[in-house]
């Protein structure tokens, strides 16, 4: 079998994972996309190991050994990542990366849309202001 077939497959898997990391907003889907990218790298490592072992007389199978280490690191990464996502979901109530990023940039729960509360809005209007505030700021930032 030619080296091009697994290489093209791994490029397609890696590009799919990269698209998932860049386009998804859910943290769990981002972690799944990272796993897809790591599996593409593992496929490349094994394919090149088989290809190089045919050329060399003494085979060390270093690509396959490195793949096993990558699988172990990926398992630890997904375990820790899911634990962090679940803890954040319990505290904040969402796994949306954009909402978590907005909170980390300095918008606290007291001032969700940058208002100081002097515009006469009552407490019953607060949930509506929270829903439209960050979206309006994002629209202004992208315009």
């Amino acid at each position: 079998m030619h080296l091009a077939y697994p290489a093209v497959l791994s490029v397609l898997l890696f590009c799919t994972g990269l698209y998932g990391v860049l386009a998804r907003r859910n943290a769990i889907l981002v972690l799944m996309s990272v796993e897809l990218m790591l599996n593409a790298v593992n496929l490349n490592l094994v394919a090149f190991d088989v290809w190089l072992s045919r050329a060399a007389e003494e085979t060390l199978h270093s690509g396959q050994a490195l793949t096993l280490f990558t699988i172990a690191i990926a398992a630890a990464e997904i375990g820790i990542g899911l634990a962090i996502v679940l803890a954040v979901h319990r505290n904040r109530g969402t796994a949306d990366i954009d909402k978590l990023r907005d909170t980390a940039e300095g918008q606290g729960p007291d001032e969700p849309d940058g208002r100081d509360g002097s515009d006469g809005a009552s407490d019953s209007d607060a949930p509506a202001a929270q829903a439209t505030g960050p979206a309006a700021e994002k629209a202004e930032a992208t315009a």
Side-chain angles (χ1 to χ4, degrees):
M1 180 167 72
H2 295 284
L3 183 62
Y5 297 131
V8 168
L9 180 63
S10 68
V11 165
L12 291 174
L13 283 174
F14 192 85
C15 289
T16 304
L18 186 64
Y19 173 75
V21 167
L22 296 177
R24 300 293 179 202
R25 294 185 180 180
N26 192 348
I28 295 175
L29 292 177
V30 170
L31 287 174
M32 289 175 61
S33 298
V34 169
E35 287 293 322
L36 195 62
M37 292 168 63
L38 286 173
N39 285 331
V41 170
N42 288 339
L43 179 63
N44 244 353
L45 284 171
V46 171
F48 275 99
D49 182 52
V50 168
W51 182 64
L52 290 174
S53 68
R54 290 180 185 168
E57 293 180 10
E58 295 182 15
T59 58
L60 295 175
H61 298 293
S62 57
Q64 294 178 12
L66 190 58
T67 299
L68 289 175
F69 284 118
T70 307
I71 290 171
I73 290 171
E77 175 258 337
I78 199 69
I80 292 171
L82 281 176
I84 291 171
V85 168
L86 287 175
V88 167
H89 189 286
R90 277 192 203 134
N91 290 335
R92 304 268 169 89
T94 184
D96 190 4
I97 294 175
D98 290 335
K99 290 180 183 175
L100 297 176
R101 186 181 313 135
D102 289 343
T103 305
E105 288 176 353
Q107 291 182 356
D110 296 334
E111 298 176 4
D113 57 348
R115 288 191 248 167
D116 59 355
S118 63
D119 60 344
S122 65
D123 290 337
S124 63
D125 295 339
Q130 289 177 354
T132 58
E137 288 181 5
K138 285 182 192 174
E140 291 175 3
T142 58

